[in-house]
Amino acid sequence: MNAPIAEVLVEREALVARVDELAAQITADYAGKELLLVGVLKGAVFFMADLARRIDLPVALDFMAVSSYGSSTDSSGVVRILKDLDLEIAGREVLIVEDIIDSGLTLSYLLKNLRNRKPASLEVCALLTKPSRRRTEIPCRYVGFEIPDRFVVGYGLDLAERFRTLDFIGVLAPEAAAEIADEAGSLL
Ligand code: IMP
Ligand code: MG
């Protein structure tokens, strides 16, 4: 794909290597247990698919979809569940798989919501984090990469549903990003 990328932040090779490391760590930490991965749609799908297949344990998969009210690049903190889990999580070892923690508001809501269902354990694995944007503390046990405050796309992350299928994490050229955000804004 000929995407208007200004800068590559995480190369494909680095993604593959880090996913391997995270999977090895998770495999060790949950040894002897069965794990339920909860992916947050849609940004986490590629990360979750790769991670799940590298974890050497019995792994079940489920998904949630949430939407946060707000603009395409800024989260408002008000979260709505669009698709809930299919499975009961009471008594299970649950690991939430997220693409990126930005303000932290989405995960803060999800953690509270899932904790109420009484899992045996509840942890977070995020591919990316932007610590400088955090508005609420999130206990995140597994983190792929810390990145600066830039809007990124690729490996699941999108701008207005585009660029998810890039196999690296990149920053869009500002003119392209502005144009796409504008077009998408007029469709909402
Ligand atoms: P938070 O509630 O502000 O932490 O928002 C997290 C969600 O916003 C992520 O799960 C993404 O869907 C989206 N998001 C935040 N930053 C980016 C980015 O740089 N690129 C694409 N999506 C992002
Ligand atoms: Mg997300």
Side-chain angles (χ1 to χ4, degrees):
M1 193 200 315
N2 198 5
I5 296 295
E7 194 185 331
V8 175
L9 282 191
V10 189
E11 301 272 7
R12 195 189 84 88
E13 294 73 20
L15 286 171
V16 172
R18 189 69 186 121
V19 167
D20 263 6
E21 288 174 2
L22 290 172
Q25 202 182 330
I26 292 166
T27 300
D29 290 351
Y30 291 88
K33 296 179 175 160
E34 283 185 25
L35 192 56
L36 173 59
L37 297 183
V38 171
V40 184
L41 294 171
K42 305 169 204 170
V45 285
F46 298 108
F47 176 44
M48 171 132 147
D50 289 342
L51 183 73
R53 288 176 295 175
R54 303 298 293 165
I55 296 172
D56 192 12
L57 296 171
V59 168
L61 309 179
D62 205 346
F63 294 93
M64 284 184 85
V66 295
S67 93
S68 90
Y69 296 98
S71 72
S72 56
T73 57
D74 243 313
S75 161
S76 64
V78 184
V79 176
R80 187 163 51 117
I81 295 182
L82 301 177
K83 184 224 170 291
D84 206 339
L85 297 176
D86 295 334
L87 306 171
E88 298 290 333
I89 63 169
R92 305 194 65 169
E93 314 287 341
V94 175
L95 180 58
I96 301 177
V97 180
E98 242 302 27
D99 52 356
I100 187 166
I101 313 179
D102 188 32
S103 68
L105 296 171
T106 305
L107 264 177
S108 157
Y109 171 85
L110 272 180
L111 281 167
K112 212 177 300 163
N113 185 290
L114 295 185
R115 211 172 276 132
N116 280 333
R117 308 183 199 189
K118 307 274 181 276
S121 69
L122 182 62
E123 301 287 349
V124 175
C125 176
L127 175 68
L128 304 172
T129 178
K130 290 181 194 170
S132 66
R133 296 263 301 172
R134 203 71 88 249
R135 285 161 66 188
T136 177
E137 255 340 286
I138 294 296
C140 184
R141 184 147 174 202
Y142 307 98
V143 175
F145 300 91
E146 284 194 4
I147 62 168
D149 180 11
R150 314 281 296 277
F151 192 84
V152 294
V153 296
Y155 199 52
L157 291 109
D158 73 308
L159 175 60
E161 296 301 327
R162 294 179 61 178
F163 311 113
R164 290 192 196 277
T165 56
L166 296 176
D167 61 3
F168 58 87
I169 303 287
V171 179
L172 288 174
E175 323 78 61
E179 193 177 316
I180 292 161
D182 259 16
E183 271 170 31
S186 65
L187 296 176
L188 294 177

